[in-house]
Amino acid sequence: MVKYKTMQQEKFGEKDFQNIIGNLLRYGVWISLTVAFIGGVIYLIHHGHEVENYSVFQEKDRSIFEVISSVYQGAIHGSGTSIIFFGIILLFLTPIFRILLSLFSFLIEKDYLYTVITLIVILIISISVALGFSH
């Protein structure tokens, strides 16, 4: 009975967060790969017989928000290309969610140095994505 009470009073610890972060990364990668694979299958079903012309490169300089919006709209309509890009966006967001979860972990542990460092990393990523410094 004493052992049961001790187990009930244990706090949510660092090891628990490490397990959650590990699972987030593992399942995030698997989910994004599955989505991209499904998009690839859909793309091949509809466009597998076409020959692609790679002799001309057309640059499409759009903001990240326009790209995400068009990928979202295309994925809703079942476009194979958009579903592949949605899988890539999920793959990109997996480490971002890991950083946010780490921030939450550092706040709970009251580790303010790492909280500030993590906030700086989030700020740098946000600025680079929003202003287009990432390409």
Side-chain angles (χ1 to χ4, degrees):
M1 191 59 112
V2 174
K3 187 176 182 181
Y4 178 72
K5 285 184 180 180
T6 332
M7 289 178 67
Q8 259 185 338
Q9 294 173 355
E10 286 182 15
K11 289 186 178 180
F12 195 73
E14 182 178 339
K15 188 149 178 88
D16 297 322
F17 268 111
Q18 295 302 323
N19 286 336
I20 291 172
I21 288 171
N23 286 334
L24 171 75
L25 293 173
R26 183 178 306 112
Y27 295 128
V29 168
W30 278 109
I31 289 170
S32 64
L33 288 174
T34 303
V35 169
F37 179 77
I38 291 169
V41 169
I42 292 171
Y43 179 81
L44 287 176
I45 288 171
H46 295 298
H47 303 283
H49 61 282
E50 297 175 7
V51 177
E52 195 67 39
N53 181 11
Y54 291 111
S55 63
V56 178
F57 176 73
Q58 296 176 351
E59 182 177 356
K60 297 179 182 177
D61 193 21
R62 302 184 304 177
S63 76
I64 189 74
F65 303 110
E66 291 175 38
V67 172
I68 290 174
S69 174
S70 66
V71 166
Y72 175 72
Q73 292 299 324
I76 287 176
H77 295 296
S79 166
T81 307
S82 295
I83 294 172
I84 293 170
F85 281 124
F86 183 66
I88 293 170
I89 290 171
L90 286 176
L91 187 63
F92 172 74
L93 288 176
T94 300
I96 302 296
F97 288 141
R98 186 246 190 265
I99 293 170
L100 292 173
L101 192 59
S102 295
L103 176 67
F104 183 66
S105 168
F106 295 142
L107 284 171
I108 287 178
E109 294 173 5
K110 297 181 181 165
D111 192 348
Y112 298 116
L113 175 63
Y114 284 109
T115 300
V116 170
I117 292 170
T118 306
L119 282 172
I120 291 170
V121 169
I122 291 171
L123 181 68
I124 290 170
I125 291 171
S126 299
I127 289 172
S128 68
V129 168
L131 299 179
F133 293 142
S134 59
H135 58 17

